[in-house]
Amino acid sequence: MTMSNTGGRRRPPTIHDVAREAGVSRGTVSRVLNGGHYVSPAAAEAVNAAIRKTGYVVNRHARSLITGRSDSVGFLLTEPQERFFEDPNFNVLLRGCTQALAAHDIPLLLMLAGTEDERRRITRYITAGHVDGVLLVSSHSGDPVAQELRDAGVPLVACGKPIGLGSKVSYVAADDRDGARDMVRHLLSLGRRRIGVVTGPLDTPGGVERLAGYQEILAEAGVELDERLIVSGDYTRASGEAGAERLLAQAPDVDAVFVASDLMAQGVLTALERAGRRVPQDVAVGGFDDSPAALAARPELTTIRQPWDRISAEMVRVLLAQIGGEDPAAVILPTELVKREST
């Protein structure tokens, strides 16, 4: 802190104090604070050392008036609010994005928009410039948010490939199709042949891709595709339970189930137990995500691990690059089969 001229009261250090301490101009300090462009490594180090010594903190409001930026990012979940609290994946992703942005001293604003009115209000808020960019989670086909934000020129990165927007929107995704292929291949290796599937929503990229991987491996193995073995869910535990009940009614000889999320797989386990089916002896169960729900399940779930830390870090990296003027980009990350007690 620096002493003022009035009664010894301390005032916050200013950019002028940093410049004086570093022995550089105020303009050099400003360039360091705004990304370090056209600043020598020695000058940048001197400025950063002076910032640490003086305890200078950027006045975000003043800087936003100059740069036209808010210096914040939105985390937009286009799902009903209860999904945020039920599905552990959203919390893991939010925490990872928050940590990745903290390294850049950028706060993250959580935005929940599960209804049409909420989506309309949030879209107005974002396009008014209150955030510099958006991390979009759970985009269904027909959901206008991604299209509207893109058309408004808002930097945007989706978690998963937005259906219908192709290369127009940046996205980061796990390889859903390959993960599903690995799981179904594993179930086949155990001698299971009546393999059912509880899909995710088929208007989401994960729902579509995981079902496609399931179908591809069965076809490659020469196992006849039976529509009675395919039921859909919405990634909630209740939908997994209902899906398993439909499977047992339609195909009572089912001997394995690939479930498109760990949370739904918990519901499948509940339905199988109620029906007197032992896991894995009678029915093997495989999930997807390797979320906390996989370890909380009984028995613990064999699942497909999504690299959540890498997904969140890449989403932040791609968004910050886009805010800086780079073109949209797509990143697809590999998944991993994790074997536990349910298979």
Side-chain angles (χ1 to χ4, degrees):
M1 288 287 188
T2 305
M3 301 292 288
S4 74
N5 295 326
T6 57
R9 187 176 59 201
R10 293 180 180 272
R11 63 170 175 80
T14 68
I15 193 171
H16 299 284
D17 298 322
V18 174
R20 184 167 54 252
E21 178 68 31
V24 299
S25 70
R26 181 183 180 281
T28 298
V29 176
S30 180
R31 286 193 293 276
V32 171
L33 294 173
N34 286 284
H37 302 294
Y38 311 113
V39 178
S40 70
E45 175 54 36
V47 169
N48 287 323
I51 289 172
R52 290 191 295 270
K53 183 173 181 180
T54 62
Y56 173 74
V57 177
V58 176
N59 184 324
R60 291 189 178 276
H61 177 67
R63 188 165 78 176
S64 69
L65 293 175
I66 297 170
T67 65
R69 292 183 178 178
S70 70
D71 280 337
S72 61
V73 164
F75 183 96
L76 176 55
L77 178 63
T78 56
E79 291 282 355
Q81 293 187 14
E82 58 267 21
R83 287 290 312 282
F84 175 74
F85 298 101
E86 180 187 20
D87 193 326
N89 293 329
F90 296 141
N91 289 280
V92 172
L93 190 62
L94 175 64
R95 183 172 63 249
C97 291
T98 300
Q99 291 172 343
L101 284 166
H104 301 273
D105 197 27
I106 296 175
L108 185 64
L109 279 64
L110 173 62
M111 303 173 178
L112 303 177
T115 68
E116 185 177 340
D117 285 345
E118 289 172 344
R119 285 191 286 271
R120 192 160 44 241
R121 287 195 297 271
I122 289 294
T123 300
R124 282 201 305 267
Y125 179 85
I126 292 170
T127 54
H130 294 293
V131 294
D132 294 328
V134 173
L135 302 166
L136 177 63
V137 183
S138 190
S139 179
H140 297 255
S141 65
D143 180 352
V145 171
Q147 181 74 54
E148 290 176 7
L149 295 180
R150 189 192 72 83
D151 291 346
V154 176
L156 172 70
V157 178
C159 181
K161 183 178 181 179
I163 295 176
L165 292 177
S167 60
K168 299 176 182 178
V169 171
S170 293
Y171 67 89
V172 178
D175 195 333
D176 291 300
R177 184 175 299 212
D178 196 56
R181 289 168 60 92
D182 284 344
M183 178 59 74
V184 179
R185 193 180 289 116
H186 170 62
L187 295 172
L188 287 169
S189 75
L190 301 175
R192 312 297 171 124
R193 289 298 179 270
R194 295 289 289 167
I195 302 175
V197 60
V198 181
T199 76
L202 295 180
D203 62 348
T204 62
V208 171
E209 291 294 304
R210 293 170 201 179
L211 174 59
Y214 161 86
Q215 293 170 323
E216 287 173 0
I217 290 299
L218 290 184
E220 288 178 13
V223 176
E224 182 181 357
L225 292 174
D226 186 343
E227 292 298 323
R228 294 173 299 176
L229 289 167
I230 301 175
V231 299
S232 61
D234 62 8
Y235 292 140
T236 64
R237 178 174 179 148
S239 74
E241 189 171 346
E245 290 174 348
R246 291 199 302 275
L247 273 179
L248 291 171
Q250 295 169 186
D253 60 342
V254 62
D255 60 9
V257 185
F258 165 46
V259 193
S261 81
D262 294 338
L263 196 60
M264 288 198 300
Q266 284 190 334
V268 168
L269 291 174
T270 297
L272 290 174
E273 182 180 16
R274 187 166 54 242
R277 304 294 181 94
R278 299 169 300 164
V279 178
Q281 295 90 332
D282 302 325
V283 182
V285 177
F288 203 106
D289 292 330
D290 197 26
S291 68
L295 292 175
R298 292 295 177 267
E300 292 185 355
L301 278 172
T302 292
T303 188
I304 296 297
R305 176 174 294 157
Q306 294 203 63
W308 291 113
D309 288 345
R310 290 188 63 193
I311 290 172
S312 55
E314 284 297 297
M315 287 180 68
V316 167
R317 182 188 66 79
V318 172
L319 182 64
L320 294 182
Q322 198 172 336
I323 291 171
E326 294 188 16
D327 292 333
V331 179
I332 299 177
L333 299 170
T335 57
E336 177 187 357
L337 174 67
V338 180
K339 299 177 184 178
R340 295 196 180 99
E341 300 166 357
S342 67
T343 62

